[in-house]
Amino acid sequence: VLKWALSTFGDSFAIATSFQKEGMVIVDMAVRLNPRVRVFTLDTGRLPDETYLMMDAVKKRYAIDVEVVRPDPAEVADMVSSRGVDLFYESPDNRRLCCEIRKVRPLERKLAGLEAWAVGLRRDQSCERAETPKVQSLDGRVKISPLADWDRSRVDAYVSRRKLPVHPLYTRGFATIGCAPCTRSVKPGEDERAGRWWWEQNESKECGIHVTAAGLVRRSGLH
Ligand code: SF4
């Protein structure tokens, strides 16, 4: 799938990664297919320090640039001024607004310059991801999930076999890596996404970057 994406879309294709294990597998495979593959990450402004260390480790190991996508400073300033720095703890709507401004809108701006992008979604991560296709047409672009049918042990085996850089928070019990204030470690037997927005009950464990932004805005009533 990656080989097809690289040959079909060339420089209009990029890998989106937050330096979790799945993203590292995809970057590792893609660099071996094309050392000039484009890689980008969303820097929400609330990432843990360890994620910046990972960014440096990836750049060094693969001799690639990592394109950093950031939110609009004016939008962040307005939001923080009207609702507070840690607004997401107050309500699900506040959390969705923060994700929209810090993640969804910057991603949309980045995707406007791409024909296709790859992400590290796996079907067994949560019921919301259970139907993830490997290749999907979305808002006029192609979204690729090369590891959709991989399970966690297959990812771990690849990471170990290729000795890939591993985000330090995994060793502290994190199953997924996101923004520092919104991600915690998980207990044995908990869903992999349980560490996201753990204070919310009965809310989706998705931030909106894996649905269309228009859908997110419609559902949340924000905007
Ligand atoms: Fe904001 Fe938390 Fe979403 Fe990050 S994960 S954008 S800090 S609400």
Side-chain angles (χ1 to χ4, degrees):
V1 170
L2 278 172
K3 193 183 285 184
W4 167 79
L6 286 160
S7 64
T8 304
F9 301 108
D11 280 348
S12 291
F13 167 76
I15 298 166
T17 180
S18 52
F19 309 105
Q20 300 184 65
K21 289 179 183 175
E22 290 78 6
M24 295 311 308
V25 169
I26 295 169
V27 169
D28 187 74
M29 286 181 177
V31 168
R32 288 197 283 160
L33 291 164
N34 179 351
R36 292 182 55 251
V37 64
R38 290 177 67 186
V39 175
F40 73 92
T41 193
L42 284 176
D43 181 356
T44 63
R46 300 302 303 263
L47 299 178
D49 290 343
E50 291 86 347
T51 297
Y52 298 102
L53 296 177
M54 279 298 292
M55 203 183 305
D56 285 344
V58 167
K59 285 171 158 176
K60 199 166 169 186
R61 169 158 175 155
Y62 297 107
I64 57 171
D65 184 28
V66 174
E67 301 167 35
V68 180
V69 180
R70 295 188 175 87
D72 181 325
E75 288 183 350
V76 172
D78 279 355
M79 175 181 71
V80 167
S81 149
S82 62
R83 303 202 191 198
V85 176
D86 290 341
L87 68 159
F88 31 81
Y89 295 134
E90 302 294 327
S91 70
D93 270 356
N94 272 4
R95 188 266 283 184
R96 284 188 281 267
L97 177 66
C98 186
C99 282
E100 189 194 336
I101 285 175
R102 291 187 185 274
K103 291 182 178 179
V104 177
R105 291 182 190 175
L107 177 65
E108 278 193 319
R109 289 191 286 270
K110 184 67 178 177
L111 294 184
L114 295 172
E115 289 182 78
W117 83 110
V119 297
L121 299 183
R122 293 184 357 249
R123 291 177 192 139
D124 71 344
Q125 283 170 320
S126 67
C127 25
E128 284 149 321
R129 298 185 177 188
E131 306 293 326
T132 302
K134 282 208 171 189
V135 179
Q136 177 182 21
S137 177
L138 199 64
D139 295 338
R141 262 169 224 94
V142 178
K143 179 177 181 178
I144 297 157
S145 302
L147 308 185
D149 58 349
W150 284 39
D151 62 16
R152 192 172 181 176
S153 61
R154 190 171 174 190
V155 172
D156 283 340
Y158 186 103
V159 167
S160 165
R161 181 161 49 85
R162 293 277 304 151
K163 297 185 173 51
L164 301 189
V166 175
H167 199 295
L169 290 183
Y170 283 112
T171 60
R172 287 167 38 195
F174 286 65
T176 67
I177 315 291
C179 290
C182 298
T183 314
R184 66 155 169 76
S185 58
V186 294
K187 301 181 187 76
E190 272 190 320
D191 189 279
E192 279 189 40
R193 301 284 298 170
R196 295 294 181 99
W197 311 291
W198 68 92
W199 62 89
E200 291 184 358
Q201 303 299 320
N202 305 318
E203 291 290 332
S204 165
K205 296 295 183 184
E206 298 291 345
C207 61
I209 58 172
H210 295 302
V211 298
T212 64
L216 180 76
V217 171
R218 273 198 301 276
R219 281 204 311 281
S220 66
L222 300 166
H223 204 43

